Amino acid sequence: MKESEVLLEVKNLKTHFNTINGVVPSVEDVSFYINKGEKVAIVGESGSGKSVTSLSIMRLLSETGKIIDGSIHFCGRNLIELSEKDMRKIRGNEIAMVFQEPLSSLNPVMTVGKQIMESILLHQKTRKQNAKQQVIDLLNKVGIPRPEKVFSSYPHLLSGGMRQRVMIAMALSCQPKLIIADEPTTALDVTIQAQILSILKELSEQEEVAILLITHDLGVVAEVADRVIVMYAGQVVEQAEIFSIFDYPKHPYTKALLNSTPKLDFSQTELLSIEGTVPSPMEIPTGCRFYDRCDFSSEICKQSPELKEITDGHQVRCWLVEEAIDNRI
Amino acid sequence: MTYIIKKLFQIIPVLFIISFVVFIFVNVSGDPVVLMLPEDASNEEIKAMQESLGLDKPVIVQYGLFLSNVMKGQFGQSFVYKQEALPIVLERLPATFELMIAAIIISILISIPLGVLSAIKRNTFIDLFISGTSVLGKAMPNFWLGLMLMLVFSVYLQILPVSSRGSLLHLVLPAITTGTAMAAELTRMLRSQMLDVLHQDYMRTARSKGLSHFSVVYKHGLRNSLLPVITLIALNISTLVGGALVTEVVFAWPGIGQLVISAVHARDMAVVQACIFVIAIFVIGANFLADILYRVVDPRIKYR
């Protein structure tokens, strides 16, 4: 990892939510980096803290959420220390977001064109006529037919796939350096999913935009990502290049996740699942957070494991992996 | 367009029902002939008068006559003004119209910033203050509010005229008096709508574009919370007319409200009927306008 290439570096991020039931630690000690133009996926079940991590980067947490520790360096600047005004210059301009549910994420009473144009007019000094042309070009680029017509349409008139294309066009509008896509295809059916992912992938390569993809779908990860971060109960449990994760998963949770993906070769008689659920952030076990659901847990797992690099670029948070390495030496 | 025509046709049965109700009420309230003739009139004179007015005929025939007259715009002679009732009412209409529009504008001007502020600052002292004040504003009888405003601004401070119609300054106090209750209601409605809208996904999208808090709330949030506000304004038109009746008397405002009250006192039934009819059409018109405004505010609404 060359220092100059790093676009985003999250270090020891801790995000907590203050609720009526007390403090909920959603994200604990999360660290990762994204290089320029790289496509990184964060994978995890619901409640693993992946969306909170992405919202922390954008500083768009709800009122109850608070980043209490850590740093988020983007192009050399610590986003946590920026004023709200400076942060606004980054949002939509240098880091853009694509959200999960495109219908509810688009303003229902504003035309699609206006909504995309809004960020162009906000961040670039350009005239309305130019901005309109830019929007039409963008709509073209994301594969929307008859962009002039779609420009003046309202979101409810478009199909789900079209809406998500609009969201991507919106995210690309100011040539950002990073796009955070939070479950961009979850609400879409499979064929549209594939289209949206290929658009996202192609455009990011064309425009050299880095992508942080948040998803629970390993199929999506395989399609898009260069590198994968696996999160569990607010922590990063494994982090590696895409091929290492799929071919040599180390953490029992990653293995279980991969096992519970349906395969197409008929060798599988039953779809495996991981027993139990992600522990509620209110009652996180001390020690390894996967302890209760792990098939390999032992006495040592009652102490918290550290995230350790086992081979170049492959990090795992598991005692068993550490032991295996120790034994080998 | 077809929707508008359809809607206009729907007004006809409504007017029919109104005409029936007006007719019944006036009939039940007593024999107008007794009122119109001097107290010492003979039975023959009364009978002759009844015949000339068609009051000796069966009720259903009377209603038919009444309807055909109404369609011609004839509500009969006012015995106070000694002329046709409808022109008297229409002459007063602009004053009431002016008062209502001013009241609506004032209540919107007050309620939008307060409702939004209250929602943004939810559960703070500011929210509590605004909510409390709006309960007070709704609960206050408007004749009392009118008198108090008059006392403070016209009598003690002497910056605004006491009563009657004239310059724009004359309009201020009556409009505030009429609009306060509605402003209070709108503020509360807007607050709850805004609270709902603030948590919508598209608000987060707007923030993720880098828009300021103000733009997010007013450009993306407000329009999405306006629909029920428009409904409330349309529903309130009839309440406003009721309020205007009182306000017009308090401020000697020469509108329909004042006219209807004096006509009721004098039992000038032709004028009362004409007034009620005009007010009814006014309210129907306002609701019709609201129906069309829905579409302007929310493109998802389709008319069938």
Side-chain angles (χ1 to χ4, degrees):
Chain A
M1 170 173 92
K2 274 184 270 167
E3 273 306 311
S4 59
E5 277 184 355
V6 175
L7 179 69
L8 178 86
E9 189 174 25
V10 176
K11 256 191 187 158
N12 307 344
L13 179 71
K14 265 189 195 180
T15 303
H16 289 188
F17 283 84
N18 293 311
T19 67
I20 347 168
N21 300 323
V23 177
V24 177
S26 282
V27 171
E28 280 287 299
D29 225 10
V30 164
S31 304
F32 64 91
Y33 64 91
I34 299 173
N35 290 330
K36 276 185 185 150
E38 196 183 19
K39 295 180 280 295
V40 177
I42 300 186
V43 197
E45 285 170 87
S46 316
S48 58
K50 50 195 196 311
S51 284
V52 175
T53 307
S54 68
L55 290 174
S56 301
I57 296 170
M58 287 294 264
R59 291 206 0 218
L60 283 178
L61 295 161
S62 61
E63 300 136 37
T64 47
K66 206 165 185 259
I67 300 169
I68 53 166
D69 200 13
S71 67
I72 301 169
H73 281 275
F74 178 76
C75 293
R77 281 189 292 176
N78 189 353
L79 298 186
I80 292 173
E81 286 165 0
L82 286 189
S83 68
E84 179 59 28
K85 202 178 153 201
D86 289 334
M87 194 60 215
R88 283 210 301 269
K89 286 182 193 149
I90 288 184
R91 281 188 207 128
N93 192 20
E94 294 184 56
I95 308 178
M97 256 186 121
V98 175
F99 293 99
Q100 177 172 356
E101 177 48 78
L103 180 59
S104 63
S105 298
L106 288 167
N107 190 337
V109 301
M110 217 175 184
T111 61
V112 162
K114 261 194 187 161
Q115 292 190 54
I116 305 177
M117 210 155 72
E118 205 177 21
S119 43
I120 299 178
L121 290 173
L122 183 73
H123 295 297
Q124 297 175 359
K125 287 199 177 86
T126 180
R127 273 186 300 155
K128 229 176 177 172
Q129 207 49 45
N130 293 341
K132 188 178 173 180
Q133 194 50 49
Q134 274 187 49
V135 172
I136 288 172
D137 293 345
L138 277 167
L139 290 174
N140 235 332
K141 213 184 262 179
V142 293
I144 286 180
R146 288 179 300 158
E148 285 87 1
K149 189 158 186 284
V150 171
F151 183 91
S152 48
S153 303
Y154 289 95
H156 69 279
L157 298 170
L158 305 177
S159 66
M162 285 294 167
R163 286 181 206 132
Q164 199 58 294
R165 284 168 205 250
V166 167
M167 286 297 286
I168 294 173
M170 195 187 282
L172 285 170
S173 62
C174 294
Q175 293 96 38
K177 297 191 179 86
L178 173 66
I179 290 180
I180 301 177
D182 190 353
E183 307 250 7
T185 55
T186 308
L188 306 172
D189 63 60
V190 189
T191 41
I192 307 294
Q193 257 189 33
Q195 289 174 12
I196 293 293
L197 289 176
S198 72
I199 289 172
L200 207 57
K201 199 175 167 183
E202 267 171 39
L203 289 178
S204 82
E205 277 159 13
Q206 247 174 53
E207 321 260 320
E208 295 177 343
V209 186
I211 288 186
L212 178 61
L213 183 73
I214 314 281
T215 182
H216 63 264
D217 186 341
L218 288 166
V220 171
V221 174
E223 194 89 27
V224 177
D226 301 327
R227 205 148 47 78
V228 184
I229 297 160
V230 183
M231 277 187 77
Y232 183 79
Q235 286 180 329
V236 173
V237 291
E238 189 162 1
Q239 193 173 154
E241 298 292 319
I242 178 99
F243 294 112
S244 313
I245 286 279
F246 278 93
D247 296 341
Y248 312 104
K250 293 286 185 255
H251 197 281
Y253 177 64
T254 317
K255 287 180 188 167
L257 262 188
L258 287 167
N259 276 335
S260 54
T261 316
K263 293 173 186 68
L264 273 178
D265 58 6
F266 299 107
S267 62
Q268 206 176 10
T269 49
E270 200 185 338
L271 186 59
L272 296 170
S273 63
I274 309 173
E275 291 291 315
T277 51
V278 182
S280 141
M282 301 290 293
E283 40 206 56
I284 291 223
T286 53
C288 177
R289 296 185 174 194
F290 192 54
Y291 180 78
D292 293 336
R293 302 170 77 187
C294 186
D295 292 336
F296 311 100
S297 53
S298 61
E299 203 46 40
I300 190 169
C301 299
K302 287 182 179 167
Q303 293 165 38
S304 283
E306 292 286 312
L307 190 66
K308 289 223 168 110
E309 186 140 345
I310 50 161
T311 52
D312 193 27
H314 195 148
Q315 297 171 320
V316 185
R317 188 190 294 273
C318 180
W319 289 115
L320 302 170
V321 176
E322 273 184 48
E323 273 178 6
I325 293 169
D326 290 344
N327 288 344
R328 240 186 315 173
I329 301 165
Chain B
M1 198 59 215
T2 42
Y3 172 78
I4 293 177
I5 293 166
K6 219 168 138 186
K7 207 66 195 176
L8 280 173
F9 271 107
Q10 282 174 2
I11 293 176
I12 295 170
V14 177
L15 285 177
F16 219 72
I17 295 167
I18 293 168
S19 74
F20 188 69
V21 172
V22 169
F23 175 77
I24 294 290
F25 271 100
V26 171
N27 255 271
V28 176
S29 72
D31 191 345
V33 174
V34 181
L35 280 166
M36 286 157 101
L37 291 174
E39 275 176 32
D40 53 354
S42 69
N43 274 353
E44 285 74 36
E45 278 177 307
I46 291 176
K47 238 195 177 117
M49 187 75 177
Q50 279 177 335
E51 264 171 44
S52 74
L53 290 171
L55 292 174
D56 56 336
K57 298 194 174 71
V59 176
I60 194 78
V61 178
Q62 284 187 38
Y63 178 57
L65 279 174
F66 170 76
L67 261 188
S68 77
N69 282 335
V70 165
M71 266 182 243
K72 282 180 254 166
Q74 291 167 352
F75 288 84
Q77 288 274 326
S78 154
F79 65 82
V80 176
Y81 296 92
K82 305 284 182 230
Q83 54 165 320
E84 264 297 313
L86 193 62
I88 303 172
V89 178
L90 292 181
E91 193 191 323
R92 299 290 194 103
L93 194 61
T96 300
F97 204 67
E98 182 183 305
L99 180 60
M100 301 264 267
I101 297 288
I104 291 174
I105 291 174
I106 281 188
S107 62
I108 290 174
L109 285 182
I110 294 174
S111 62
I112 285 184
L114 288 188
V116 171
L117 187 69
S118 187
I120 296 173
K121 305 274 179 198
R122 181 168 58 132
N123 297 340
T124 60
F125 178 73
I126 297 173
D127 178 28
L128 204 69
F129 181 75
I130 293 173
S131 297
T133 316
S134 49
V135 171
L136 190 72
K138 180 75 189 144
M140 219 159 14
N142 57 4
F143 69 87
W144 181 81
L145 177 67
L147 289 173
M148 287 303 122
L149 287 174
M150 220 189 252
L151 197 67
V152 174
F153 291 99
S154 310
V155 179
Y156 291 139
L157 299 176
Q158 300 195 343
I159 45 175
L160 289 167
V162 180
S163 66
S164 89
R165 190 176 172 216
S167 66
L168 208 59
L169 284 180
H170 283 85
L171 189 60
V172 177
L173 292 186
I176 293 177
T177 310
T178 319
T180 299
M182 188 157 95
E185 218 171 314
L186 287 183
T187 304
R188 293 192 63 79
M189 172 66 100
L190 198 61
R191 174 185 182 270
S192 66
Q193 273 305 308
M194 204 65 194
L195 279 180
D196 181 45
V197 166
L198 283 177
H199 292 107
Q200 294 294 322
D201 288 348
Y202 51 79
M203 297 295 275
R204 191 180 56 190
T205 310
R207 286 207 290 152
S208 82
K209 286 188 213 170
L211 290 172
S212 66
H213 194 56
F214 186 86
S215 306
V216 171
V217 169
Y218 280 92
K219 264 178 91 177
H220 289 265
L222 190 59
R223 199 164 149 204
N224 277 294
S225 3
L226 276 187
L227 211 56
V229 172
I230 291 174
T231 313
L232 195 65
I233 292 177
L235 286 177
N236 259 296
I237 295 285
S238 51
T239 323
L240 267 187
V241 177
L245 297 192
V246 181
T247 323
E248 285 181 7
V249 173
V250 171
F251 286 96
W253 188 263
I256 292 185
Q258 210 192 29
L259 180 69
V260 82
I261 286 184
S262 65
V264 167
H265 278 304
R267 302 200 61 183
D268 190 352
M269 285 312 161
V271 174
V272 173
Q273 284 174 347
C275 277
I276 293 173
F277 231 81
V278 167
I279 290 172
I281 289 174
F282 195 72
V283 172
I284 292 171
N287 282 305
F288 182 64
L289 201 68
D291 260 356
I292 291 169
L293 265 180
Y294 285 157
R295 175 70 215 247
V296 177
V297 171
D298 192 337
R300 282 170 299 179
I301 291 173
K302 276 212 190 85
Y303 294 135
R304 265 189 285 265

